Amino acid sequence: MNNIALLVKGELYKISKYKKMWFFFIFIIGVISISGVISKTELHTGDWKVDIEKRLQDNYTLLSQLESDETNNKYKKQIDNYIMLDEYSINKNIPPVEDYSAIGFVKKNIAVTWIINAIMIIYASSIISNEYAWGTIKFLVVRPYKRSKILISKFLTIIILNLFFYVILMIYSFFVGLMIHGFEFNHFITLNLKNGQVVEQNIYYVIMKLYLYNFIPNISYVSLAIMVSTLLKSSGVAAAISIAISTLGGVLAASISMYPFAKYVLFVNTDLVKYIQGTAPIQGGAEWFSITIILFYSTLFFIPSIYIFNKRSM
């Protein structure tokens, strides 16, 4: 275990000298800053109830315009959901925390995790293939460590790096949110829909689950990227396959969701955020089951990587 810790420390040191990773870091900071500027320009300065009532009227108008269009049922359902949430917000005197507080700005930036996950997949796809391309693989394997430990340390390094970017995203988003909204901490409730009913949830609890549920699925995609990279020695192919699966997984999941075997397929279970939104990616599914499936596939992808890495001549 100590050997793996030393290897991880060495990998993290190499990353600190990796200029592209610093570029990614600056890029993430830039994306959050731009999001802050946009939020600042859209900031409502009046009574929040007036803002919500205006939005309600706009949605009522839009819904009436779509009534005769049978091809937009999904869109109409989405507008209905917005109306239910806004009406509940006014009736219960609960302001939309996402638009009026620093912690709400952290929740709004959850979409940035997709960029971070993609960066980690790209890095995972090159962490082995680059060693071959640079000719450093021979120096790596002659060190007094088992090859399996070397590969495990690289995998753990990516997971730690992934978490680091998530923490930076949350901290910097909160900092930018403070500059936009000020030190306002009176609103702790966010509204959500579950089984067609509006429910009140603690914003801090929801944020932690949102970030966690966007992080967990990426473990499997990172494992897949490492496996393909180890097998083909190609970072480009590994990145393309992993990002394609993570991006198109929802489409593939929808096409097979009616079959009994679907609940055992990886990309059917990766949209964990649906559990927070009151639905399940599979009929009658449970969060623990989907997380178990994700971790199972992560292991399934990683074991062949170790076997190939151990057997391959350098």
Side-chain angles (χ1 to χ4, degrees):
M1 201 67 180
N2 289 335
N3 290 341
I4 292 178
L6 288 172
L7 287 166
V8 169
K9 184 178 179 181
E11 289 292 333
L12 291 172
Y13 176 77
K14 284 196 293 185
I15 289 171
S16 69
K17 302 298 181 182
Y18 188 46
K19 292 182 179 179
K20 287 184 179 180
M21 196 56 67
W22 283 105
F23 168 78
F24 290 145
F25 176 82
I26 294 170
F27 177 73
I28 295 299
I29 295 296
V31 169
I32 300 169
S33 300
I34 292 171
S35 174
V37 171
I38 295 172
S39 293
K40 181 66 175 179
T41 58
E42 294 177 346
L43 184 64
H44 305 293
T45 56
D47 185 349
W48 67 267
K49 286 189 176 181
V50 175
D51 296 331
I52 297 299
E53 286 171 354
K54 183 180 182 304
R55 189 165 68 190
L56 269 172
Q57 289 303 317
D58 291 341
N59 282 331
Y60 281 135
T61 302
L62 183 58
L63 195 61
S64 64
Q65 292 172 348
L66 295 172
E67 276 302 323
S68 59
D69 189 354
E70 296 297 329
T71 62
N72 279 314
N73 287 332
K74 186 175 181 181
Y75 186 41
K76 286 189 286 188
K77 178 63 177 175
Q78 189 176 32
I79 297 172
D80 270 330
N81 290 341
Y82 290 149
I83 290 173
M84 285 180 63
L85 290 170
D86 284 342
E87 287 180 340
Y88 189 96
S89 178
I90 290 177
N91 293 335
K92 297 292 185 178
N93 197 33
I94 301 174
V97 65
E98 291 83 2
D99 298 320
Y100 292 90
S101 70
I103 193 65
F105 185 71
V106 177
K107 183 173 182 285
K108 288 178 73 173
N109 277 331
I110 191 68
V112 182
T113 59
W114 188 91
I115 301 174
I116 295 173
N117 289 347
I119 291 171
M120 292 302 103
I121 291 171
I122 292 170
Y123 186 70
S125 67
S126 64
I127 200 167
I128 294 297
S129 58
N130 280 349
E131 299 284 3
Y132 287 107
W134 297 335
T136 54
I137 190 69
K138 293 181 180 179
F139 299 104
L140 191 65
V141 297
V142 296
R143 297 168 70 182
Y145 302 115
K146 292 182 178 179
R147 292 187 183 184
S148 58
K149 289 186 176 181
I150 293 173
L151 197 62
I152 290 171
S153 69
K154 287 183 177 292
F155 173 74
L156 291 177
T157 299
I158 297 168
I159 298 303
I160 292 170
L161 191 62
N162 206 157
L163 285 170
F164 170 76
F165 272 107
Y166 269 51
V167 172
I168 292 298
L169 169 59
M170 295 175 74
I171 292 174
Y172 188 64
S173 292
F174 186 70
F175 174 73
V176 173
L178 286 177
M179 291 193 293
I180 297 171
H181 301 287
F183 293 82
E184 174 59 68
F185 302 105
N186 295 326
H187 307 310
F188 303 103
I189 302 300
T190 185
L191 303 179
N192 217 331
L193 285 172
K194 280 192 174 183
N195 301 319
Q197 299 293 321
V198 179
V199 295
E200 300 178 15
Q201 296 175 314
N202 184 286
I203 184 67
Y204 297 98
Y205 173 74
V206 170
I207 285 174
M208 294 307 298
K209 287 196 76 172
L210 278 172
Y211 277 82
L212 180 63
Y213 281 8
N214 277 274
F215 168 76
I216 291 175
N218 207 46
I219 297 174
S220 60
Y221 299 131
V222 164
S223 298
L224 176 62
I226 290 176
M227 182 184 73
V228 178
S229 177
T230 306
L231 180 63
L232 303 180
K233 302 181 185 179
S234 171
S235 59
V237 175
I241 291 175
S242 302
I243 290 178
I245 290 178
S246 64
T247 305
L248 302 176
V251 178
L252 296 171
S255 64
I256 66 170
S257 59
M258 71 289 297
Y259 298 105
F261 66 84
K263 64 180 181 179
Y264 300 109
V265 177
L266 171 62
F267 42 78
V268 173
N269 291 276
T270 51
D271 193 0
L272 297 175
V273 174
K274 284 186 176 179
Y275 288 111
I276 302 174
Q277 297 171 340
T279 58
I282 50 178
Q283 186 70 28
E287 296 171 67
W288 66 266
F289 179 83
S290 292
I291 292 173
T292 302
I293 290 294
I294 291 168
L295 296 179
F296 170 77
Y297 275 94
S298 300
T299 306
L300 191 66
F301 293 146
F302 195 68
I303 289 176
S305 304
I306 294 177
Y307 178 80
I308 296 166
F309 195 62
N310 282 337
K311 295 296 182 181
R312 174 161 284 160
S313 58
M314 304 300 171

